[in-house]
Amino acid sequence: MLDFSDQPLVVAGTISPSLLKLHHLTSLNFSSNDFNGSLIPEFFGSLKKLKSLDLSNANFRGPIPSLLGNLSMLETLRLGGNGRVFNVGKLEWLSHLSRLKEVDLSFTNLSNANDWSQVISHLPLLQTLNLRGCDLPSISSSSLSLANSSTSLTYLDLSDNNLPSSAIYPWFFNVGSNLVSLDLSSNQLKGPIPEAFGNMKAIQELYLSDNLLVLAENQVRGDSGLNEIGKLPDFSVLDLGYNLLNGSISKSFGQLSNLHVLRLSGNSFDGDVISEAHFSNFTNLQVLDLSYTSLTLKFNTGWIPPFQLSQIKLCSCKLGPGFPDWLRTQMDFLLVLEYLDISASGISDSLPYWFWDSFQRLRYLNMSFNQISGTFPTHSIDITHLDLSSNNFSGPLPHFSLYFGFIGTINLSKNKFNGSVSPICNVTHEVSLTLFDLSNNLFSGVVPDCFGSFPFLTALNLGDNSFSGSLPSSLGSLVSLEMLSLRGNKFSGVLPSSLQNCAKLKFLDLSDNELSGEIPTWIGQELSSLVFLSLQGNQFRGRIPHQLCGLKYLQILDLSVNKISGAIPPCLNNFTSMAKKVSLDRRIEHHILDTGPSSSSHLDGVYGEPIRIIQVRYVDEGLLTWKGTKQSYPQLGLLLAIDLSCNKLTGEIPEEVSSLQELVVLNLSRNLFNGKILQKIGHIRQLEVLDLSRNKFSGNIPTSLSELTFLSNLNLSYNDLSGRIPTSTQLQSFDPSSFSHNRGLCGPPISPNCSMVEPPPGKPAVGSEEDCDEFMKWFYTGMGLGFAVGFWGFCSVVFFKRSWRHSYYRYMDNAKDWVYVTFVRLKARLVRRIKGVSTR
């Protein structure tokens, strides 16, 4: 035996053919390592005595060597979890391995293996088969006729393959008579749940989530095959989450008395009421997931459930307005409960006195989006994931203790917590904290300089409080940081140079503070991954450093409402995301969009990378449309914006700006620009918002402006423009105020023709700083909105792809679920304030 799995250090490099000298090797395990995309060695097929070969999750790529078919003694074959491994042609080589008992080919590409069902059916000893996410082709009718009904298969996973009902039902009902566990989640199963499931007498676990299943009338009444399954003595897991189940849940559903796990989440039981009668026989239940169903749970006061749960997931269920007292029985007994999610459940009550006393073994707590009031206890809080956001909690920040070895997140945003945040310096086992969100509270004082203890922190949001003083230099110790928001405080002084050590930053929002000095050149040199940069509403002075042009991934740049002077650097065309039409796959990797927790007034989305899923939840309804554009979600797409308004910039607009062909918003208003408007401005084809008002532009309006077919907001007022307004359906549709206070402009929409125009006396006006503060509200909101929508990636496609839409729910306890959520909420809250675009 050679076993390199579960080692303290990762095995990597090249696998040597010298392994062939081990003539008696029967078991070889390289799982959970990193071979950096190496090919699976063909010489493995010469290890004739191998009984077990495990190469799973080891970062191999390329074709599966057909020579593995020579391993006639093989009983266990695991190649799963290598996303870049594929099979060339058919799986015929697998049929030579007649002694196989376990096969794991999950997430390998088998799209060309049309014979997969035939091969599997003719492996007489096969007990466990995992073909999850293999892009399997549909089963042909000839495969059904060749299927062997006497198979020994007991564990079958065909999830995430988009297989239709017509292809999969006949096959597995034929080969699955002895199945103990069946996973068909994330396919294209349609219609009522088949009654034939009731004939599977050995079944113990049934996973049918993320399909298009409905309840037939007899299943609603309770006289169906599901009830026959429920009578089996060992049936323990039923997962019907994220289907199209609707109507009422029959009380006879409670006859599934042996269930340990029940998941009905993500279905449409709107208005249905669940009472204690539904749960009266669930004496063995351990996991209950009714999230995103909008079910009403109405229990009599003093009800004691017959079960003791380890996981309670009731997000979006209606539990309020009072705090559910039956939860006390689950938190007191034997310290079993580890996971509690009662977010968005309509609770408007104070936290009961017994809650923190019973808070002992709980690892995950989510009570967000309620109206719960209360304070923290004086003793330390032991937790892994804590989310109390969007409630009415108050009082000082408590001491936290995170469980060692777990990845932790703390989100206390949108409450009324106050006082100092110095307790963050006392967080124990802090090395595992990845998200810390204290935004939109009443905290004040100086932020302590103790961030050197958080090397794995990925997102930090202290925005919209009353912090003051200088930014702590220890922020530079957060080398894993990707999102930093300190907006809406009273921070002063210059940016600490240590911040340049945060090289992974993608989102940096320092807006609405009192920061001063020149914009550091290292932002463009060391923070090269930035996608969003906002220094809006500070006291920065000096020129825009040309080094900012090095931010090739930048999608939103906001330097508005400062005291920046000089000319615009001509190198802005180095902003690759704005200059070139990059595919959304490359621009924003692995983005998934999801509809909200069953209410149309919310949007859910995720930003993910290959190793993690990051959750974005409860975005306000204002994000669905934006007044600054004609488009509505999901057509809004990716917003790319530059806002340099309300500064003291001079000179002409550089020609290079016209090469930013993907730019959607350009705001240069309230500066001291002069000369002519860029003649090639019409080359910025995606432009929807253009504001050049309150400058000193002169000459004619460029005729190319009429070529901007997406333009929906235009403001050229308070300049020194003259001549006829170019004729186009687009330009003539704008309000006359878009062109007002220009000397000599004529033609529709400001006048029927040019002969009737008398040039008004006086000079063009330039806006004051007070004007800037008010004006910036609508624009800054629009930019935040666009970034949020854009950061969901190829929204239009995945909005309708259920298997992607719902995949993140299975990872709600993932390490970095909340990395970008605070940004989305931060910007969304402004949308409701906007009544229109300022035309002053």
Side-chain angles (χ1 to χ4, degrees):
M1 170 187 286
L2 280 179
D3 188 348
F4 294 98
S5 64
D6 300 320
Q7 300 298 314
L9 298 177
V10 171
V11 177
T14 303
I15 301 176
S16 171
S18 61
L19 282 176
L20 293 174
K21 297 178 180 179
L22 304 176
H23 301 295
H24 302 286
L25 190 64
T26 60
S27 178
L28 181 59
N29 189 342
F30 281 114
S31 66
S32 302
N33 286 289
D34 186 0
F35 290 98
N36 196 28
S38 300
L39 299 177
I40 297 176
E42 291 194 359
F43 68 79
F44 281 169
S46 299
L47 297 169
K48 300 292 186 180
K49 292 190 177 182
L50 270 187
K51 292 184 179 180
S52 176
L53 177 61
D54 191 343
L55 307 178
S56 59
N57 301 298
N59 195 13
F60 286 105
R61 67 171 178 86
I64 300 174
S66 58
L67 291 178
L68 295 184
N70 296 335
L71 302 176
S72 57
M73 304 291 289
L74 205 62
E75 297 178 0
T76 299
L77 176 62
R78 297 177 184 147
L79 305 179
N82 295 293
R84 293 182 289 171
V85 168
F86 58 89
N87 188 75
V88 178
K90 296 185 176 182
L91 273 178
E92 189 269 339
W93 60 270
L94 194 63
S95 63
H96 300 299
L97 307 178
S98 58
R99 297 192 180 191
L100 277 175
K101 296 180 180 179
E102 178 183 348
V103 174
D104 179 3
L105 299 178
S106 58
F107 300 107
T108 61
N109 190 338
L110 303 181
S111 57
N112 294 321
N114 294 316
D115 61 340
W116 69 268
S117 59
Q118 297 152 275
V119 171
I120 297 306
S121 299
H122 287 83
L123 294 175
L125 303 180
L126 190 63
Q127 298 175 7
T128 301
L129 174 63
N130 187 348
L131 298 180
R132 180 181 183 183
C134 291
D135 197 17
L136 294 173
S138 295
I139 301 173
S140 63
S141 56
S142 60
S143 301
L144 297 176
S145 62
L146 294 172
N148 182 358
S149 60
S150 62
T151 178
S152 57
L153 201 59
T154 53
Y155 293 87
L156 176 61
D157 187 346
L158 298 178
S159 60
D160 291 298
N161 277 294
N162 287 319
L163 292 169
S165 308
S166 57
I168 194 62
Y169 283 157
W171 181 79
F172 78 75
F173 282 136
N174 193 24
V175 303
S177 57
N178 296 316
L179 280 176
V180 173
S181 176
L182 174 63
D183 191 343
L184 298 178
S185 58
S186 298
N187 280 288
Q188 292 293 320
L189 308 184
K190 299 180 180 180
I193 300 171
E195 295 296 306
F197 281 121
N199 299 326
M200 303 174 69
K201 302 304 181 183
I203 195 72
Q204 296 179 18
E205 300 176 358
L206 183 57
Y207 302 90
L208 301 176
S209 65
D210 199 6
N211 281 287
L212 303 169
L213 298 171
V214 299
L215 287 176
E217 182 61 33
N218 63 323
Q219 291 165 339
V220 174
R221 294 195 308 267
D223 53 347
S224 70
L226 278 179
N227 293 84
E228 295 301 316
I229 297 176
K231 295 175 183 177
L232 298 176
D234 296 320
F235 187 64
S236 59
V237 177
L238 177 61
D239 185 354
L240 298 175
Y242 304 106
N243 277 282
L244 301 178
L245 310 183
N246 53 21
S248 300
I249 299 178
S250 171
K251 293 180 181 179
S252 62
F253 212 77
Q255 295 176 10
L256 307 178
S257 57
N258 299 310
L259 276 185
H260 290 186
V261 177
L262 175 61
R263 292 193 180 99
L264 300 177
S265 53
N267 286 290
S268 303
F269 301 111
D270 289 342
D272 198 14
V273 177
I274 298 293
S275 67
E276 54 261 39
H278 289 85
F279 295 107
S280 58
N281 292 324
F282 283 152
T283 55
N284 296 305
L285 198 63
Q286 297 175 11
V287 176
L288 176 64
D289 187 357
L290 303 179
S291 302
Y292 310 103
T293 59
S294 296
L295 286 166
T296 297
L297 275 64
K298 191 173 183 179
F299 304 130
N300 291 326
T301 303
W303 175 63
I304 300 178
F307 45 72
Q308 188 60 49
L309 301 174
S310 62
Q311 294 186 26
I312 300 175
K313 301 179 180 181
L314 301 176
C315 173
S316 88
C317 291
K318 296 177 177 63
L319 306 180
F323 196 91
D325 59 353
W326 63 271
L327 288 178
R328 184 178 185 181
T329 66
Q330 304 299 296
M331 299 180 69
D332 281 346
F333 184 72
L334 296 178
L335 308 180
V336 171
L337 187 64
E338 294 184 350
Y339 190 113
L340 176 61
D341 184 354
I342 52 174
S343 58
S345 57
I347 299 175
S348 301
D349 198 1
S350 57
L351 202 64
Y353 70 92
W354 49 261
F355 186 84
W356 295 120
D357 293 334
S358 304
F359 188 91
Q360 298 182 46
R361 195 180 172 186
L362 206 60
R363 300 290 185 268
Y364 182 106
L365 174 62
N366 188 348
M367 296 194 294
S368 62
F369 293 92
N370 286 291
Q371 294 296 319
I372 302 173
S373 59
T375 60
F376 278 114
T378 55
H379 59 75
S380 179
I381 298 294
D382 299 328
I383 194 67
T384 300
H385 297 276
L386 176 64
D387 188 352
L388 303 181
S389 60
S390 298
N391 278 287
N392 292 321
F393 287 101
S394 58
L397 191 68
H399 295 279
F400 294 103
S401 177
L402 301 180
Y403 288 101
F404 183 76
F406 291 89
I407 298 174
T409 62
I410 297 174
N411 189 348
L412 305 181
S413 62
K414 291 189 177 179
N415 279 284
K416 299 176 182 177
F417 292 112
N418 55 40
S420 170
V421 293
S422 57
I424 66 176
C425 297
N426 300 319
V427 175
T428 58
H429 296 138
E430 61 273 16
V431 292
S432 59
L433 186 65
T434 59
L435 180 140
F436 201 22
D437 189 347
L438 302 180
S439 62
N440 289 275
N441 277 286
L442 304 174
F443 292 115
S444 59
V446 176
V447 175
D449 198 7
C450 60
F451 289 100
S453 301
F454 300 91
F456 296 104
L457 194 65
T458 306
L460 175 63
N461 192 346
L462 303 179
D464 294 291
N465 282 284
S466 296
F467 294 118
S468 58
S470 301
L471 298 183
S473 61
S474 61
L475 286 173
S477 302
L478 303 177
V479 293
S480 299
L481 201 64
E482 296 182 20
M483 183 269 196
L484 175 62
S485 178
L486 304 177
R487 62 159 286 121
N489 284 286
K490 300 176 183 178
F491 289 115
S492 58
V494 300
L495 296 184
S497 60
S498 61
L499 202 60
Q500 64 186 300
N501 298 327
C502 303
K504 294 184 179 180
L505 269 177
K506 295 181 175 68
F507 175 85
L508 178 59
D509 189 351
L510 304 177
S511 60
D512 294 320
N513 279 285
E514 298 171 7
L515 299 170
S516 58
E518 296 188 353
I519 298 175
T521 59
W522 49 257
I523 291 181
Q525 295 169 326
E526 305 298 332
L527 306 184
S528 58
S529 297
L530 278 177
V531 176
F532 180 102
L533 174 61
S534 177
L535 304 179
Q536 177 259 338
N538 281 283
Q539 301 294 320
F540 288 107
R541 54 181 172 77
R543 294 176 175 269
I544 300 175
H546 68 85
Q547 288 86 351
L548 286 188
C549 298
L551 302 176
K552 62 180 180 179
Y553 302 113
L554 200 64
Q555 296 174 12
I556 290 182
L557 174 63
D558 186 356
L559 305 180
S560 61
V561 197
N562 279 284
K563 298 179 179 180
I564 302 170
S565 58
I568 297 177
C571 57
L572 292 187
N573 56 344
N574 290 338
F575 293 156
T576 306
S577 292
M578 301 183 187
K580 298 180 181 179
K581 191 174 183 62
V582 182
S583 69
L584 290 179
D585 282 3
R586 295 184 57 190
R587 189 182 284 168
I588 306 165
E589 296 179 2
H590 299 275
H591 290 63
I592 303 171
L593 168 73
D594 196 288
T595 52
S598 79
S599 170
S600 61
S601 63
H602 295 93
L603 265 181
D604 282 20
V606 295
Y607 168 80
E609 293 182 359
I611 302 176
R612 74 176 187 274
I613 302 290
I614 301 173
Q615 186 179 9
V616 180
R617 302 171 53 204
Y618 297 105
V619 180
D620 295 282
E621 188 174 9
L623 284 185
L624 290 173
T625 57
W626 178 39
K627 197 161 185 174
T629 67
K630 289 184 176 180
Q631 298 168 310
S632 61
Y633 187 83
Q635 288 79 25
L636 185 58
L638 184 65
L639 181 68
L640 304 174
I642 294 178
D643 184 2
L644 306 178
S645 63
C646 301
N647 280 289
K648 299 179 180 180
L649 295 168
T650 58
E652 298 184 0
I653 304 175
E655 290 284 339
E656 289 78 4
V657 171
S658 64
S659 66
L660 303 179
Q661 299 181 25
E662 301 301 309
L663 194 64
V664 176
V665 177
L666 179 61
N667 189 350
L668 304 179
S669 64
R670 292 164 168 78
N671 279 286
L672 302 172
F673 292 115
N674 55 30
K676 294 184 177 182
I677 296 176
L678 195 62
Q679 292 299 309
K680 296 181 179 180
I681 199 165
H683 291 187
I684 312 177
R685 299 295 185 185
Q686 303 301 317
L687 206 59
E688 297 186 25
V689 176
L690 176 62
D691 192 343
L692 304 178
S693 63
R694 297 181 184 267
N695 280 285
K696 298 180 179 180
F697 290 113
S698 59
N700 296 332
I701 296 176
T703 57
S704 66
L705 198 64
S706 61
E707 301 171 8
L708 298 176
T709 55
F710 294 115
L711 197 63
S712 56
N713 275 300
L714 174 66
N715 194 347
L716 303 178
S717 62
Y718 291 95
N719 279 287
D720 195 13
L721 300 172
S722 59
R724 178 182 293 275
I725 297 174
T727 303
S728 75
T729 305
Q730 194 82 355
L731 294 182
Q732 271 63 54
S733 66
F734 289 113
D735 190 87
S737 60
S738 296
F739 306 94
S740 66
H741 295 84
N742 280 284
R743 296 171 56 173
L745 268 187
C746 59
I750 60 174
S751 64
N753 55 63
C754 287
S755 60
M756 300 174 60
V757 175
E758 290 287 338
K763 298 181 179 180
V766 178
S768 64
E769 287 190 25
E770 290 76 10
D771 293 330
C772 292
D773 292 337
E774 178 65 24
F775 179 78
M776 276 310 302
K777 291 180 180 178
W778 75 266
F779 188 77
Y780 188 70
T781 301
M783 288 201 307
L785 161 63
F787 181 78
V789 176
F791 229 54
W792 294 331
F794 38 91
C795 303
S796 309
V797 178
V798 297
F799 183 83
F800 298 102
K801 186 171 178 58
R802 293 174 58 84
S803 62
W804 291 10
R805 268 168 40 206
H806 295 305
S807 63
Y808 86 93
Y809 285 114
R810 290 188 293 271
Y811 302 97
M812 285 185 66
D813 58 349
N814 185 275
K816 299 173 182 175
D817 267 359
W818 291 95
V819 171
Y820 286 97
V821 64
T822 51
F823 157 66
V824 180
R825 297 192 201 135
L826 186 66
K827 301 300 178 284
R829 70 180 178 81
L830 294 176
V831 175
R832 293 187 297 271
R833 298 181 186 176
I834 310 310
K835 302 300 182 183
V837 178
S838 172
T839 56
R840 293 165 49 187

